[in-house]
Amino acid sequence: MQPQIILLKEGTDSSQGVPQIVSNINACQAIADAVRTTLGPRGMDKLIINDQGKATISNDGATILKTLDIVHPAAKTLVDIAKSQDAEVGDGTTSVTLLAGEFLKEAKPFIEEAVHPQIIIKAFRKAATEAVKKIKEISVRINKSDPKEMRQLLEKCAATSLSSKLVAHQKDFFTKMVVDAVMLLDELLPLNMIGVKKVTGGGLEDSVLISGVAFKKTFSYAGFEMQPKKYTKLKIALLNIELELKAERDNAEVRVDSVEEYQSIVDAEWKILYDKLDILHKSGAKVILSKLPIGDVATQYFADRDMFCAGRVVEEDLKRTMKACGGSIQTTVQNLSPDVLGSCETFEEIQIGGERYNLFTGCPRLGTCTIILRGGAEQFIEETERSLHDAIMIVRRTMKNDAVVAGGGAIEMELSKHLRNLSRTIAGKEQLLMGAMAKALEIIPRQLCENAGFDATNILNKLRQRHAQGGIWYGVDVLNEDIADNFENCVWEPAVVKINAITAAAEASCLILSVDETVKNPKAQQDGPPGGGMGRGRGRPM
């Protein structure tokens, strides 16, 4: 008898072959089931409580999957594609997870019947390429030269994104706000130039968009209340300097022989501070913003000269102020020439809810804006922020890629029909596999129906019939429990969302199908001290 060869460490968990692939597919289906009910305008929300007891209420697929602490290695792939969809396009995170889960579900019977995974992978890749080609072919391009038409397109795409969120009832209000916000940015559309500030209290409709910079009043010292809280046509100095006296004992050791010497050291420090303040005053700046603290002496000095100051301003807010008002952030007060100072039409400090905010409006260079969100509960405002993030990303993507398709399951039904027809022209196993992928695409309209409580089979049959007759934009009409031309109903989505979703879902399913063995190393034992019993070292008695 041959001696057994021990290759891996004792306790290693390894499983392989068909059962392993089926087990991975089941794990991915469990993930898809976790977010399945959040799809679409009638989707439900999930309440997730983390290990610190913080509750998150969301129906954004990526947020839910990020918050869930998923340990299964294959299932983590789906979390990653939801994250990538979120980072790349911003919306469609639930769709991409559902599609990947459904592709795998359709592949499962073939795996169980011993079809080689590589044949399935090849067919899926081919089908995904054909689907993307079809989207590019039928997507509708919008005339960018007409600003009015372009704006309508952006508003429709933002409204489609918001209709499945918690703020769907206020979508008209937020749609305009999101489009205005993105329109204020420069050509590169940097996301970090849209500041979102959350103030609890008030209703959602009290939210405002400020075409400029707004940030919360920073920590302030005595003398702050004497400073004016409103200016017009002003200069702004942006600093990264500490305007504060240091306690002597903190920084250095100084040996002195007489009181006069000690006094001269103190005087020198005061003189340095006053020289800095004097230069700032003479520069003509009316508002001084610094990333580092501005102490009580400086605050009082500025108040006496009708100047406003704010220390410990968050770096991001400081950069946005620089972007909007011009100027640059200085690390010294020497050479404060007019070109390094920012300027704006009006500065004022106002009360919003329980907070006070500093507002800079009428900025010469713009390129940035701030959305101040209001609402009741903290979780509600956070979910509103996540919803707006999705809508902002969609508007940015649509501005860059101006092709749109109809949402509401219309494009998926059309792709399903296209792949089914195409599969019949191919001989061999690929015909069945491409047909399986065509069937998998129907999950989106089916889930939309199920989440709204409709009879999914009935509506899908109607959709199949209409698409076979050439109605390419027909999708689910959630409001009337029927099918409708979603292009005319203005349920629009950027084509890039769908292309990215199908590509990512197909890639993820191919990756999971190609894994046929999992080897899990045992955890190191940490029960007792290494080396066994009690040692006699460290001065223990004999």
Side-chain angles (χ1 to χ4, degrees):
M1 201 173 137
Q2 287 278 316
Q4 190 182 358
I5 298 171
I6 296 177
L7 191 64
L8 299 169
K9 208 156 72 175
E10 189 185 352
T12 304
D13 173 23
S14 79
S15 45
Q16 61 190 76
V18 171
Q20 178 57 44
I21 301 178
V22 172
S23 147
N24 286 349
I25 291 176
N26 291 341
C28 294
Q29 277 180 261
I31 292 279
D33 288 341
V35 293
R36 189 180 289 279
T37 52
T38 65
L39 184 74
R42 294 279 186 272
M44 311 296 275
D45 297 346
K46 304 283 182 202
L47 170 60
I48 301 156
I49 299 165
N50 66 5
D51 48 4
Q52 276 101 36
K54 184 178 181 290
T56 307
I57 298 176
S58 179
N59 78 353
D60 176 41
T63 308
I64 294 167
L65 293 179
K66 267 185 227 166
T67 322
L68 294 173
D69 194 7
I70 288 161
V71 291
H72 194 286
K76 278 186 180 165
T77 317
L78 294 202
V79 182
D80 291 342
I81 58 167
K83 282 184 188 169
S84 84
Q85 178 84 0
D86 198 32
E88 184 58 32
V89 200
D91 200 15
T93 49
T94 311
S95 308
V96 75
T97 315
L98 271 187
L99 283 172
E102 200 62 18
F103 290 164
L104 289 169
K105 184 181 167 186
E106 291 297 330
K108 188 172 157 188
F110 292 100
I111 292 283
E112 285 168 341
E113 286 165 19
V115 175
H116 197 282
Q118 287 302 336
I119 296 173
I120 303 178
I121 290 170
K122 188 180 168 196
F124 275 13
R125 287 215 170 115
K126 190 171 180 180
T129 313
E130 287 295 336
V132 169
K133 204 161 46 173
K134 180 73 174 171
I135 295 177
K136 288 179 177 166
E137 201 179 289
I138 62 175
S139 60
V140 179
R141 292 206 165 272
I142 297 295
N143 180 10
K144 266 191 177 175
S145 54
D146 180 0
K148 195 176 171 193
E149 194 177 329
M150 188 65 191
R151 189 182 167 92
Q152 279 180 333
L153 158 77
L154 295 176
E155 283 189 2
K156 282 164 188 167
C157 288
T160 305
S161 173
L162 286 173
S163 65
S164 65
K165 305 287 181 207
L166 207 58
V167 288
H169 294 299
Q170 285 86 8
K171 73 174 176 193
D172 295 345
F173 173 76
F174 281 116
T175 298
K176 290 186 176 62
M177 187 186 277
V178 164
V179 175
D180 288 340
V182 180
M183 291 284 200
L184 287 168
L185 301 180
D186 55 25
E187 319 65 89
L188 293 170
L189 307 176
L191 196 60
N192 59 350
M193 284 297 148
I194 299 181
V196 179
K197 305 290 174 192
K198 302 180 285 245
V199 186
T200 46
L204 276 176
E205 303 270 341
D206 297 338
S207 305
V208 282
L209 172 71
I210 291 157
S211 57
V213 182
F215 53 84
K216 203 157 114 179
K217 169 181 169 292
T218 55
F219 180 82
S220 54
Y221 288 92
F224 178 81
E225 291 306 331
M226 295 159 64
Q227 297 179 350
K229 299 292 182 278
K230 185 163 185 179
Y231 294 102
T232 49
K233 296 207 175 356
L234 64 143
K235 293 268 180 241
I236 305 164
L238 305 165
L239 308 173
N240 189 0
I241 310 173
E242 202 166 5
L243 298 174
E244 200 169 22
L245 288 168
K246 284 284 186 204
E248 283 74 11
R249 66 174 185 279
D250 285 356
N251 298 339
E253 181 181 316
V254 182
R255 301 197 175 187
V256 289
D257 298 330
S258 64
V259 176
E260 288 78 23
E261 284 179 18
Y262 176 70
Q263 189 59 45
S264 66
I265 291 169
V266 175
D267 289 349
E269 194 174 13
W270 280 79
K271 185 176 183 308
I272 291 168
L273 179 63
Y274 273 118
D275 285 349
K276 283 182 185 174
L277 299 179
D278 205 35
I279 293 170
L280 284 169
H281 177 215
K282 286 179 179 161
S283 71
K286 279 293 180 195
V287 173
I288 314 289
L289 301 178
S290 177
K291 185 181 159 193
L292 296 171
I294 294 180
D296 44 2
V297 177
T299 308
Q300 190 63 55
Y301 180 96
F302 291 136
D304 294 344
R305 288 158 184 73
D306 281 348
M307 292 160 72
F308 177 91
C309 70
R312 301 182 187 174
V313 178
V314 182
E315 187 174 11
E316 182 200 343
D317 291 330
L318 206 60
K319 281 184 176 166
R320 288 191 19 248
T321 311
M322 179 177 81
K323 178 88 175 166
C325 303
S328 59
I329 298 172
Q330 298 294 303
T331 50
T332 166
V333 290
Q334 310 305 325
N335 310 325
L336 273 185
S337 54
D339 56 328
V340 300
L341 295 178
S343 63
C344 72
E345 280 298 311
T346 54
F347 161 80
E348 61 179 325
E349 184 175 296
I350 60 166
Q351 187 85 9
I352 299 178
E355 310 281 359
R356 285 165 75 174
Y357 271 77
N358 299 330
L359 261 66
F360 296 85
T361 46
C363 308
R365 295 188 23 206
L366 259 184
T368 177
C369 59
T370 310
I371 296 173
I372 295 180
L373 291 179
R374 305 297 309 277
E378 199 177 318
Q379 287 101 336
F380 193 76
I381 301 185
E382 283 178 6
E383 176 60 6
T384 308
E385 185 192 2
R386 283 191 287 269
S387 307
L388 291 191
H389 168 264
D390 282 11
I392 287 166
M393 290 288 284
I394 283 292
V395 173
R396 285 175 67 223
R397 281 281 164 256
T398 318
M399 279 177 89
K400 287 183 180 174
N401 322 56
D402 53 349
V404 293
V405 293
I411 183 76
E412 283 85 4
M413 285 307 289
E414 185 56 29
L415 293 176
S416 176
K417 183 199 91 172
H418 173 66
L419 289 181
R420 203 174 274 121
N421 293 344
L422 196 71
S423 71
R424 293 186 184 127
T425 63
I426 298 170
K429 292 174 189 163
E430 281 188 16
Q431 180 188 56
L432 296 170
L433 293 164
M434 209 179 249
M437 192 161 176
K439 187 180 171 196
L441 283 166
E442 290 183 354
I443 184 64
I444 300 289
R446 180 184 296 280
Q447 200 58 49
L448 284 174
C449 295
E450 284 178 8
N451 289 354
F454 303 161
D455 180 352
T457 314
N458 188 8
I459 287 180
L460 278 177
N461 286 340
K462 282 187 187 174
L463 281 175
R464 286 193 198 102
Q465 177 207 8
R466 189 52 64 97
H467 278 266
Q469 291 167 351
I472 65 169
W473 295 131
Y474 270 79
V476 182
D477 180 355
V478 176
L479 301 176
N480 304 316
E481 192 170 345
D482 200 10
I483 63 171
D485 187 327
N486 279 348
F487 210 83
E488 276 179 22
N489 280 4
C490 302
V491 182
W492 294 1
E493 296 194 62
V496 67
V497 175
K498 294 298 173 197
I499 290 174
N500 207 57
I502 288 172
T503 318
E507 270 177 15
S509 10
C510 292
L511 179 67
I512 288 163
L513 289 172
S514 65
V515 173
D516 77 333
E517 181 169 5
T518 305
V519 179
K520 203 170 181 185
N521 284 330
K523 284 190 178 165
Q525 297 294 320
Q526 293 180 342
D527 298 338
M534 300 277 287
R536 275 200 187 157
R538 301 220 177 147
R540 280 210 181 89
M542 292 294 281

